[in-house]
Amino acid sequence: MRNRVNILILAVTLLILGGLIYVFFRDEVIFTSWIHSRTDLPRYGHLINGDAFLGRIFLFSLADALWYAALLLADYLLRSDTVYSRATTLLTISLPFILELLQLCHIIPGTFDWIDISIYLLTLITFLLCTKNFYFKH
C-alpha cells in the first residue's frame, strides 16, 4: 500500500512539474493563458535559448515527457488483469505517439517533432525498466 501512495505522489509531482514549465516558461500556450490573464506571475522563457538543443528540449518536450510519465504511473496504479485494463494500458502507452502522428497528418493542431517522439520513447523505456525492477524486487 505504501508503494502505491509513493507512486501516486510521484505521478502528481510529475504533473505539477510539467505544468510549472508551461506556467513559467511558455507564453504562447492556450493551456496557461487563463493563468497569465488573471495573475502577474513572472515568466522566464526569455532566459532559455529555445534554439539550442537542450533549451529546445526543456521548453518544448520536457513538460510533455513529465506528463506522459505521470500518465504511465497512473495506468500502472489502476492496472488489473482484465481485457479493458490491458486495452487501456495499450492506449496509454501509444497515446503520445498517436497524437504526434495526428499532428504530422494535420488532423489535430500542433507541430510534429521527432525530438518529442524520442523523448516519449526514452520516457517509456525508463518507465518499463523501473517497473520491471519493481516486479523483480517483490
Side-chain angles (χ1 to χ4, degrees):
M1 178 68 169
R2 184 175 175 187
N3 284 334
R4 295 179 64 82
V5 171
N6 290 339
I7 292 170
L8 178 62
I9 290 169
L10 178 59
V12 170
T13 302
L14 293 174
L15 277 175
I16 291 169
L17 289 174
L20 289 175
I21 290 171
Y22 275 94
V23 169
F24 290 110
F25 294 95
R26 301 281 303 275
D27 295 333
E28 72 287 350
V29 183
I30 294 171
F31 166 70
T32 59
S33 62
W34 65 274
I35 294 172
H36 293 299
S37 67
R38 290 171 177 77
T39 65
D40 197 21
L41 289 174
R43 296 186 189 130
Y44 302 104
H46 64 280
L47 298 176
I48 307 294
N49 180 0
D51 294 328
F53 182 72
L54 290 178
R56 184 173 172 204
I57 287 176
F58 180 81
L59 288 175
F60 303 111
S61 300
L62 182 59
D64 292 341
L66 293 170
W67 289 350
Y68 182 45
L71 179 64
L72 291 169
L73 289 168
D75 177 75
Y76 179 76
L77 286 175
L78 299 172
R79 193 175 302 157
S80 65
D81 193 26
T82 66
V83 173
Y84 301 112
S85 181
R86 287 190 292 272
T88 301
T89 296
L90 288 175
L91 179 61
T92 299
I93 290 170
S94 61
L95 184 63
F97 303 102
I98 292 170
L99 293 174
E100 285 292 323
L101 180 63
L102 293 174
Q103 290 174 12
L104 177 65
C105 297
H106 304 288
I107 296 171
I108 64 171
T111 304
F112 174 82
D113 190 357
W114 282 109
I115 292 175
D116 286 349
I117 297 287
S118 301
I119 296 294
Y120 293 140
L121 278 173
L122 183 61
T123 302
L124 178 60
I125 290 167
T126 302
F127 171 78
L128 292 173
L129 290 172
C130 288
T131 55
K132 177 184 175 192
N133 289 337
F134 178 79
Y135 280 129
F136 285 120
K137 287 182 180 180
H138 293 93

